[in-house]
Amino acid sequence: MIVEAAGPLFLAPGSARVSMDDLARELGMSKKTIYRHFPDKRSLLAAVLDRQFAAVERTLAAAQDAHGQSFGARVQRFLLAAGSELGRIGAARLAAGRGDAVLRQYVEQRVDAVVYRRPEELFWDGHRQGLLSTPPELLSEITRGVLERLLTSRLPRELDRTAADLLRASVDTVLYGAIRPAHSAHSGLGDEQLRAVMPRARDEEQEVGP
């Protein structure tokens, strides 16, 4: 109950100013009661961050658990899930980004383990299947860069697109190219077939569970 109630306070903008007094008022309990469970603000914030990343990990694990699907479908499924979790990841980084080097390092380690290693594993799987002509390390680095940039970018709002849309479009551009064939020359596929191979993110929104 304490961790659940502390989450919206600690993960909101301006969370560095949230005190244990604020939390005690929010919960309607004394600070002494909170301190019986958490000796200080850092330990409580660490518990909040653990809960946040557990939610992210559940979403990404569910997206990655796509046995029987094509490699392309697995990539797109992961990108959609990762894009949907950018808000949670960004809030965690913001909460730990000021004043506490230990928590900041912890968050970066969790982002690396929970988020960035998953596309790396996915691209290496595609490489082992002989499906990639580009080094998987390069694709992983590009995907990581896009994810990091979208965490702080205003572009989704400016383009009226979701972060998942833009993440997916960016990686699609790397994997398939940005130039459309003039006369269905690319791999013998026409525009309608290309759209079938690379559907937009919103077409698959129901496939990725929280």
Side-chain angles (χ1 to χ4, degrees), residues 10-183:
F10 284 166
L11 297 172
S15 59
R17 295 188 295 272
V18 174
S19 67
M20 296 296 266
D21 288 310
D22 296 326
L23 182 60
R25 281 193 296 271
E26 182 72 17
L27 289 173
M29 63 174 59
S30 69
K31 284 197 298 182
K32 183 183 293 187
T33 301
I34 297 175
Y35 282 129
R36 278 204 295 267
H37 298 276
F38 300 97
D40 51 37
K41 181 178 175 180
R42 174 195 276 182
S43 63
L44 177 53
L45 180 51
V48 168
L49 294 171
D50 276 337
R51 189 172 187 271
Q52 187 86 333
F53 280 109
V56 173
E57 192 159 23
R58 284 194 298 271
T59 299
L60 298 185
Q64 209 168 18
D65 185 18
H67 300 296
Q69 293 191 1
S70 68
F71 174 71
R74 290 169 61 205
V75 171
Q76 303 294 0
R77 187 178 172 88
F78 170 80
L79 294 176
L80 179 59
S84 73
E85 292 302 301
L86 286 175
R88 279 192 179 124
I89 299 165
R93 291 179 66 172
L94 181 64
R98 298 188 182 91
D100 196 320
V102 173
L103 284 178
R104 187 166 58 248
Q105 183 180 28
Y106 165 77
V107 167
E108 293 307 317
Q109 288 172 345
R110 291 290 282 158
V111 171
D112 186 68
V114 173
V115 183
Y116 296 143
R117 290 184 189 175
R118 292 182 181 275
E120 183 177 347
E121 293 168 0
L122 191 55
F123 290 134
W124 270 106
D125 189 36
H127 174 72
R128 285 190 291 270
Q129 296 179 50
L131 299 175
L132 297 176
S133 59
T134 301
E137 300 95 332
L138 177 59
L139 293 174
S140 299
E141 193 68 19
I142 291 171
T143 303
R144 178 174 184 142
V146 174
L147 280 165
E148 289 182 337
R149 185 67 182 91
L150 285 175
L151 283 171
T152 57
S153 177
R154 297 180 181 176
L155 198 57
R157 183 183 303 173
E158 292 173 357
L159 296 179
D160 193 25
R161 302 284 294 278
T162 67
D165 279 332
L166 298 185
L167 174 61
R168 182 168 171 165
S170 300
V171 178
D172 274 352
T173 300
V174 174
L175 291 176
Y176 305 109
I179 301 175
R180 294 181 177 177
H183 299 290

